[in-house]
Amino acid sequence: MGGHRGTWGSQAGFILAAAGSAVGLGNLWKFPYLCWENGGGAFVATYLGAVVVLGLPLMMAEILVGRRAQASAVPAFAALGGPAWSWLGVLGVLAGVVILAYYTVIAGWSIRSFVLCLEWSFGGYPPDAGARFPAFLADGPQQVLLTTVFSFLTAFVVYRGVGAGIERASKVMMPVLFAILLYLLVTALRLPGAGEGLRHLLEPRFQDLPPQGVLLGVGQAFFSLSLGLGAMVAYGSYLSPQERIGRTAAWVVGLDTAVALIAAMVMFSLLHSIPGLPDRVSGSTVAMLFVTLPELFYTQMPGGTILAPLFYVLVAFAALTSTISLGEVATSYLVDRRNLPRGRATILSASVIWVGSVACALSLGAVPALSSLRVFAGKEGLLATLDHLAANWMLPLGGLGTALFVGWHLPAAAVASELGIREGSPAFVLFRWALRVVAPLAILGLLILVLTGRDLS
Ligand code: PFF
């Protein structure tokens, strides 16, 4: 089976593509911000705990389901568990569509920042650059244009398929991303506040962790590792039967975590080096990535004129390898379930999602009806509403379903054989109990928190 569906050319190809999915705006923008707002080292420790206890087993579980069924999430859950379980896949496809619709908008900003930085690197950084951002948000035509460009890039890669598209793109982009990030880290660590920044980030002072910090860490682990919507089920379905799932998943989780930590080290070094900066960034995650950073590059950082455009190439690459995995969720659904050829499936899903993206792009001030839409308290506008819906509801529910499915529903012998380990081995027992008890309890805790009105997006 599987031959006509495409396979990864190598284990490294899978790891880079899956790590590409995981590493994205979540690492570069959400993670440093969450660390900053939630007590630094204590949040990092919590996040690392969530990654090891929940993230790794769920990553393995999703890959396992995809590879065993040789299908993306909807047919995979149906094939292994019966038709009733296909709802879990459908929820994932919906979550993928929702996330891709708004994620593309923010991803598109990286193109604008790149172009602006080129301009500034040659022509000088204008003093009012930061003040132009609100007008940019409300500029409908520009927002739609950027979103359309990014949607097109995503669809182009997905259209080309698994080996020639996703794998090849990831193999080029991921190493470049790591290289740029390391260069940034070396530069940031030379700043005067780097030592203090690292201490703040790495020293766990649990008295600084707000009560919801634990559950915020869990939510961030889901989003950052692309779990809970079947993206890793789809990628796993193209994985060769020879590869060890545990080791492969550990690589993906490790790379994602490393990128998040490095991004946070860079941000914390900057934040501790520039007096007055923390007050300006707190409260706005987006501003940190798209307004404050360019200012820092051009006014404070040695080599900033070269680093700034490079940095937004990095953001664009990271976002693109994530959007293609989201696009793959919807496309593989149409291929596997509706029997569409890959090309038509890509065009159809990309067009539908593009309509959603345009609506999100116009919900930042351009169209009042979309911008003032209010479903959840404190979430104004379509983009914020969809982010809230996906991060708070859809991903945790999908993760809960997957944990229960693999932990309780799949026969232990099948799970052990797919993982290539013995049923009685300590690793297997640990894996199974993580899925049976630990993950469901943690996720239920998260959902209860959301029900009582906490925001995790
Ligand atoms: N993991 C991505 C990030 O951290 O930015 C976001 C994401 C991509 C979530 C793909 C879900 C997904 F399927």
Side-chain angles (χ1 to χ4, degrees), residues 114 117 176 180 183-184 304-315:
F114 172 70
C117 284
V176 176
I180 298 178
Y183 183 62
L184 266 179
T305 45
I306 297 167
L307 276 176
L310 270 181
F311 177 78
Y312 289 100
V313 172
L314 180 159
V315 177

Side-chain angles (χ1 to χ4, degrees), residues 21-27 99 103 223-226 229 231 322 325-326:
S21 168
V23 173
L25 297 170
N27 304 59
I99 297 179
Y103 198 92
F223 187 83
S224 187
L225 293 169
S226 305
L229 76 162
S322 297
S325 73
L326 289 160

Side-chain angles (χ1 to χ4, degrees), residues 114-448:
F114 172 70
V115 173
L116 279 179
C117 284
L118 282 184
E119 218 178 290
W120 295 336
S121 291
F122 289 104
Y125 182 78
D128 68 333
R132 296 183 200 164
F133 197 69
F136 160 68
L137 289 181
D139 182 342
Q142 203 181 153
Q143 291 289 347
V144 170
L145 176 70
L146 290 170
T147 292
T148 304
V149 171
F150 214 92
S151 301
F152 183 82
L153 289 175
T154 306
F156 179 75
V157 178
V158 175
Y159 185 92
R160 300 198 43 136
V162 175
I166 301 175
E167 180 170 353
R168 195 187 296 164
S170 307
K171 273 186 164 161
V172 175
M173 290 193 279
M174 293 305 288
V176 176
L177 187 153
F178 289 129
I180 298 178
L181 201 58
L182 284 178
Y183 183 62
L184 266 179
L185 178 66
V186 171
T187 315
L189 288 182
R190 295 219 205 97
L191 291 170
E196 205 185 315
L198 290 191
R199 208 168 311 117
H200 182 185
L201 184 69
L202 299 176
E203 207 175 275
R205 294 162 34 96
F206 284 98
Q207 62 275 30
D208 296 344
L209 186 73
Q212 81 275 18
V214 178
L215 291 148
L216 285 172
V218 174
Q220 172 65 10
F222 269 101
F223 187 83
S224 187
L225 293 169
S226 305
L227 294 173
L229 76 162
M232 294 299 165
V233 177
Y235 275 22
S237 75
Y238 312 121
L239 184 65
S240 132
Q242 279 91 46
E243 307 300 352
R244 295 287 293 258
I245 289 178
R247 194 184 314 149
T248 311
W251 264 105
V252 176
V253 170
L255 286 173
D256 184 68
T257 308
V259 171
L261 286 175
I262 294 176
M265 286 184 199
V266 171
M267 295 287 187
F268 272 58
S269 302
L270 289 169
L271 287 163
H272 279 275
S273 299
I274 290 124
L277 179 62
D279 301 332
R280 278 191 285 148
V281 296
S282 86
S284 171
T285 61
V286 168
M288 193 152 148
L289 192 61
F290 293 100
V291 181
T292 318
L293 267 178
E295 187 179 326
L296 291 172
F297 280 130
Y298 287 103
T299 59
Q300 317 274 350
M301 247 195 171
T305 45
I306 297 167
L307 276 176
L310 270 181
F311 177 78
Y312 289 100
V313 172
L314 180 159
V315 177
F317 278 7
L320 184 60
T321 48
S322 297
T323 55
I324 58 186
S325 73
L326 289 160
E328 180 62 20
V329 170
T331 300
S332 59
Y333 166 74
L334 294 175
V335 170
D336 289 346
R337 201 60 172 183
R338 304 271 165 231
N339 268 322
L340 289 190
R342 188 172 185 93
R344 283 205 3 234
T346 311
I347 294 171
L348 179 64
S349 59
S351 311
V352 170
I353 293 164
W354 176 77
V355 173
S357 291
V358 168
C360 288
L362 296 173
S363 76
L364 303 162
V367 172
L370 292 170
S371 313
S372 59
L373 178 86
R374 191 141 183 227
V375 180
F376 305 108
K379 301 281 124 188
E380 197 104 338
L382 183 65
L383 192 152
T385 303
L386 292 185
D387 185 28
H388 181 90
L389 180 71
N392 289 287
W393 291 104
M394 301 179 98
L395 297 188
L397 268 178
L400 177 63
T402 309
L404 295 175
F405 181 77
V406 176
W408 293 96
H409 193 74
L410 280 188
V415 173
S417 99
E418 199 61 43
L419 292 178
I421 50 180
R422 267 187 318 106
E423 227 182 291
S425 66
F428 183 75
V429 173
L430 267 179
F431 171 74
R432 204 152 155 85
W433 284 99
L435 292 181
R436 291 191 138 190
V437 179
V438 183
L441 282 183
I443 297 167
L444 276 176
L446 183 88
L447 291 173
I448 290 171

